[in-house]
Amino acid sequence: MALLDPSQDILAIGQHPLDTLFKPRSVAVVGATERYGSVGRTLLKNLVSSPFGGAVYPVNPKKAQVLGVSTFPSIAACPTQVDVVIVILPAKAVPALVQECVDCKVSHAIIISAGFREVGPEGEALEEEVKAIAAKGKLRIVGPNCLGLMCPTSGFNATFANLMP
């Protein structure tokens, strides 16, 4: 659908560039795990139990399934184009993953991982590297070091909050 002039879009039927972030058709969770109490498990559980209606692809090259959902070894191996990649990896692994997102033409990444600017010069350099890679590929990033993202109107819960009000 063509983007409409917002002043003429009285029925709000035009698409917004952030629609794929707040109402994704597919989400890959890199760092999904079965380990009880972990961020990767809690976030995946929130996604698969939320009513947003999109496909959820756990990415874990070491497991066949996580929480009963088949896993994939990489973003490129996911069966459909991924709109949002959620990153739950050690900070040093994030630049390579962001490059994979760019290579796979992912629109948005939510970087849950910590260990960037908040830990000093080494982390700041990692964060700048991530930003440079993302900018080359027009990848929009939420984070790093964040709780995730929630959009109640679409039913999207990509957070690791254990209890919701």
Side-chain angles (χ1 to χ4, degrees), residues 47-123:
L47 268 175
V48 297
S49 60
S50 68
F52 83 97
V56 178
Y57 304 124
V59 175
N60 186 327
K62 296 177 183 175
K63 300 277 185 187
Q65 291 187 336
V66 175
L67 297 180
V69 182
S70 296
T71 63
F72 299 88
S74 65
I75 297 165
C78 293
T80 63
Q81 174 65 39
V82 175
D83 290 332
V84 176
V85 170
I86 301 170
V87 183
I88 312 164
L89 294 176
K92 290 184 180 186
V94 173
L97 183 73
V98 169
Q99 184 61 58
E100 184 181 0
C101 290
V102 167
D103 294 344
C104 293
K105 299 189 181 349
V106 174
S107 303
H108 307 280
I110 301 171
I111 302 175
I112 305 295
S113 309
F116 292 92
R117 185 175 309 271
E118 75 277 5
V119 298
E122 186 179 330

Side-chain angles (χ1 to χ4, degrees), residues 98-165:
V98 169
Q99 184 61 58
E100 184 181 0
C101 290
V102 167
D103 294 344
C104 293
K105 299 189 181 349
V106 174
S107 303
H108 307 280
I110 301 171
I111 302 175
I112 305 295
S113 309
F116 292 92
R117 185 175 309 271
E118 75 277 5
V119 298
E122 186 179 330
E124 185 173 358
L126 270 176
E127 188 171 327
E128 292 304 319
E129 182 181 357
V130 166
K131 286 168 51 177
I133 295 166
K136 288 180 188 172
K138 298 182 181 172
L139 174 69
R140 290 186 169 119
I141 292 181
V142 175
N145 196 13
C146 68
L147 177 64
L149 183 78
M150 178 185 269
C151 182
T153 58
S154 68
F156 184 57
N157 181 2
T159 70
F160 62 92
N162 205 9
L163 297 172
M164 299 309 299

